[in-house]
Amino acid sequence: MVVGMMGEGSLLQFWKTATTVLAPILLCPLVFYVGTSEARCGFVILLMAVFWVTDAVPLPVTALLPVVLLPLFGIMTTDEVCVTYLKESNMMFIGSLIVAI
């Protein structure tokens, strides 16, 4: 009876790891078989959506995935991605948080 409970607990315990590993594997056909820039961008968007909905990866890490994946897949340059993340309004928000601390 203890073995059955341990098996169930271990399966539930590692669902975040399973989601983190299986989501990119299941979405790989978008990258390898379709191969267009739009498909690679769709891969990034769907991967982020899965990670956000399941909360398998912490949200700040999920939010920074495009900074790594978009230049890696050749969709945008690093400069173009970082400019969208660091607009004036975002910097004003970060500045106000720093002043509040």
Side-chain angles (χ1 to χ4, degrees):
M1 183 163 180
V2 174
V3 174
M5 288 175 36
M6 197 166 88
E8 293 172 9
S10 65
L11 186 62
L12 292 176
Q13 182 180 2
F14 296 112
W15 71 268
K16 287 186 177 185
T17 305
T19 302
T20 305
V21 172
L22 288 177
I25 292 172
L26 293 175
L27 293 172
C28 269
L30 284 174
V31 176
F32 294 117
Y33 292 121
V34 180
T36 63
S37 179
E38 291 83 5
R40 291 189 301 258
C41 187
F43 172 83
V44 173
I45 291 170
L46 288 173
L47 185 65
M48 287 181 63
V50 168
F51 287 165
W52 255 320
V53 169
T54 61
D55 199 27
V57 178
L59 291 180
V61 174
T62 303
L64 291 175
L65 279 177
V67 174
V68 176
L69 293 179
L70 292 178
L72 184 69
F73 288 146
I75 299 167
M76 296 173 74
T77 65
T78 306
D79 293 333
E80 292 171 343
V81 175
C82 289
V83 163
T84 59
Y85 271 84
L86 296 175
K87 289 186 177 182
E88 295 85 12
S89 59
N90 292 346
M91 290 307 292
M92 189 168 119
F93 179 69
I94 291 171
S96 66
L97 284 175
I98 291 171
V99 169
I101 292 174

